[in-house]
Amino acid sequence: MNNHSRKTCAIINLPSLISNYLCLDNLAPQSKTIAVIKANAYGHGAVEIAKALSQHVPAFAVAFIDEALILRDAGITQPILILEGALSPEDFAHALKQNFWLMLHNSEQLNWLSKQTKTYSGQLWLKVDTGMNRLGIMPNEVNDILAKLSHKYRQNLVLCTHFSNAEELKNPKTLLQIKQLEQVNQEYQYKKSLANSAGIINWPESHSDFNRLGIALYGTTPVVAKNLSIKLAPVMTLQSTVIGLRKLTTGEAVGYGETWQAKRPSVIATIAIGYADGYPRNAKTGTPVFIKGHLAPLAGRVSMDMITIDVTDITQVKLGDVVELWGENIAIETVAEHMDTINYELLTRVSTRVPKIYIYK
Ligand SMILES: *Cc1c(COP(=O)(O)O)cnc(C)c1O
């Protein structure tokens, strides 16, 4: 099965993951840092990531129950926060049995819960919408909802909100969101959870009982950190190899649609990765890749299984040479900019066709 004649792979560096976690957890010493490992741990492989972090984290978070069940099947025992909460009435039974923490964010979930209050005794989080306008109870409805919750749920309740603009350092919206949750909580003094990665890194005022650490755990951030002492290491390095090389004369074109034409005698290297692997087709000509210590630009369209790069200025490129698409030598944020997307999307789109190779120490 594991032949891997093609050398394209995603190398996942688990020691980097752990040092990122410890570094970010340290930024908020009063908070517990939940590791968000939804979407297969942002494309890194949720089971391996959870195993590597399990001695360090108080809890994990995923988007929905099915993601959490995969972790339980793999022997992960920490509590798991379900960010979208129950998506069907049966989810309460799973949550109770499996020690999942359910987010409550709409009245339908409350109805499901009230039909089983006798049996359900699990931990609940209440999501308050402070301006993201995606999920959550409106601040002025929190009173009503709490009145419908029996004492046993209110005892351990965590009030939660999610930031819409925390990566924008000059945008006052985050402070308004923090204030709004504070106001809602004034008469209750529940535990709270606000910060995502951007909050953890750049908004210390957002740190609370539980922070929810996602993207930065993987060594890439949505923000330029104010605090330059933070050193994060990219966990995923996506790499492939040169499988074709040719010389072009001036005026010859490369790839589908002839979108790239040689303006000088050129050397083109063909790399064994394409959009079927999750390297987006809308990567523009000029998107950098890393080869033999240099950056080389993408030349022409991304194909399903291959890309072509201009290595005219790099000497002695040969078949089999390793090419890094993003990771330790070339920041995924930089690559994403050339593709009109973001680090989050690139990481989660790497397809199952790309084998993951884990580095354990
Ligand atoms: C995905 C998610 C997070 C993690 O966000 P990052 O920006 O990746 O740190 C936190 N909270 C909620 C509700 C999320 O959906």
Side-chain angles (χ1 to χ4, degrees):
M1 255 316 278
N2 284 338
N3 179 22
H4 298 177
S5 64
R6 187 177 78 147
K7 298 292 180 274
T8 304
C9 65
I11 298 167
I12 311 291
N13 188 319
L14 297 173
S16 293
L17 174 86
I18 292 164
S19 71
N20 292 340
Y21 179 84
L22 296 175
C23 162
L24 292 155
D25 183 49
N26 239 339
L27 288 182
Q30 315 297 339
S31 313
K32 289 184 170 153
T33 306
I34 295 178
V36 181
I37 56 171
K38 61 191 177 188
N40 203 22
Y42 292 50
H44 294 70
V47 168
E48 289 286 349
I49 296 294
K51 282 183 179 163
L53 288 174
S54 61
Q55 292 166 16
H56 303 282
V57 304
F60 292 107
V62 296
F64 49 93
I65 290 256
D66 306 69
E67 291 187 319
L69 289 171
I70 291 170
L71 296 172
R72 284 288 179 264
D73 286 347
I76 302 298
T77 56
Q78 276 75 12
I80 304 173
L81 170 65
I82 313 294
L83 294 166
E84 292 176 359
L87 299 177
S88 72
E90 299 74 48
D91 283 356
F92 285 96
H94 285 299
L96 182 61
K97 194 161 149 234
Q98 307 273 8
N99 191 21
F100 298 154
W101 298 348
L102 283 182
M103 191 77 81
L104 206 61
H105 61 78
N106 66 28
S107 48
E108 185 177 48
Q109 293 173 332
L110 193 68
N111 291 339
W112 293 338
L113 175 64
S114 56
K115 292 200 181 104
Q116 39 201 316
T117 32
K118 284 214 180 63
T119 49
Y120 187 74
S121 59
Q123 159 90 54
L124 288 181
W125 285 40
L126 187 68
K127 184 155 199 175
V128 182
D129 186 352
T130 56
M132 179 77 170
N133 284 317
R134 193 176 62 176
L135 291 183
I137 312 285
M138 290 303 151
N140 62 8
E141 292 168 352
V142 171
N143 259 322
D144 275 1
I145 298 282
L146 288 174
K148 290 180 189 149
L149 278 181
S150 63
H151 178 70
K152 70 176 173 189
Y153 300 127
R154 277 183 277 129
Q155 252 174 348
N156 296 314
L157 200 72
V158 178
L159 274 197
C160 177
T161 200
H162 193 50
F163 296 136
S164 58
N165 297 68
E167 60 284 351
E168 298 164 26
L169 298 180
K170 300 218 167 81
N171 192 325
K173 170 86 179 258
T174 303
L175 293 176
L176 291 175
Q177 292 189 269
I178 295 170
K179 201 165 148 204
Q180 192 154 37
L181 194 74
E182 195 44 57
Q183 275 166 1
V184 169
N185 199 26
Q186 220 157 33
E187 59 179 291
Y188 305 110
Q189 299 299 318
Y190 291 128
K191 290 197 166 140
K192 287 180 297 176
S193 174
L194 297 92
N196 54 3
S197 295
I200 293 168
I201 294 172
N202 281 329
W203 301 91
E205 42 296 69
S206 75
H207 298 173
S208 61
D209 299 276
F210 295 98
N211 296 335
R212 307 183 307 275
L213 170 63
I215 190 82
L217 183 54
Y218 308 99
T220 165
T221 69
V223 280
V224 180
K226 267 189 213 162
N227 178 349
L228 293 172
S229 70
I230 309 169
K231 282 263 178 297
L232 300 177
V235 176
M236 181 193 292
T237 295
L238 182 65
Q239 68 180 40
S240 182
T241 58
V242 176
I243 60 165
L245 268 174
R246 67 211 55 249
K247 291 195 169 121
L248 268 61
T249 56
T250 305
E252 282 191 289
V254 174
Y256 289 117
E258 300 193 315
T259 59
W260 188 92
Q261 271 135 22
K263 296 196 174 68
R264 57 176 177 168
S266 301
V267 184
I268 295 292
T270 302
I271 316 301
I273 193 164
Y275 59 77
D277 300 295
Y279 190 89
R281 186 176 175 279
N282 59 336
K284 297 189 196 67
T285 277
T287 303
V289 307
F290 182 85
I291 176 168
K292 301 189 101 146
H294 301 276
L295 296 181
L298 185 73
R301 283 213 181 119
V302 175
S303 309
M304 187 183 291
D305 314 306
M306 286 170 262
I307 59 172
T308 37
I309 61 172
D310 178 0
V311 293
T312 314
D313 296 326
I314 303 170
T315 47
Q316 291 182 341
V317 172
K318 54 186 191 312
L319 294 182
D321 280 350
V322 172
V323 175
E324 178 181 315
L325 291 315
W326 61 68
E328 290 188 1
N329 296 292
I330 174 165
I332 191 168
E333 301 92 302
T334 310
V335 177
E337 273 175 33
H338 288 263
M339 301 167 169
D340 297 326
T341 184
I342 54 173
N343 45 3
Y344 296 75
E345 191 183 11
L346 289 185
L347 290 174
T348 53
R349 272 174 65 163
V350 174
S351 76
T352 52
R353 191 165 78 157
V354 177
K356 294 184 191 71
I357 296 175
Y358 290 93
I359 297 176
Y360 294 94
K361 61 178 188 178

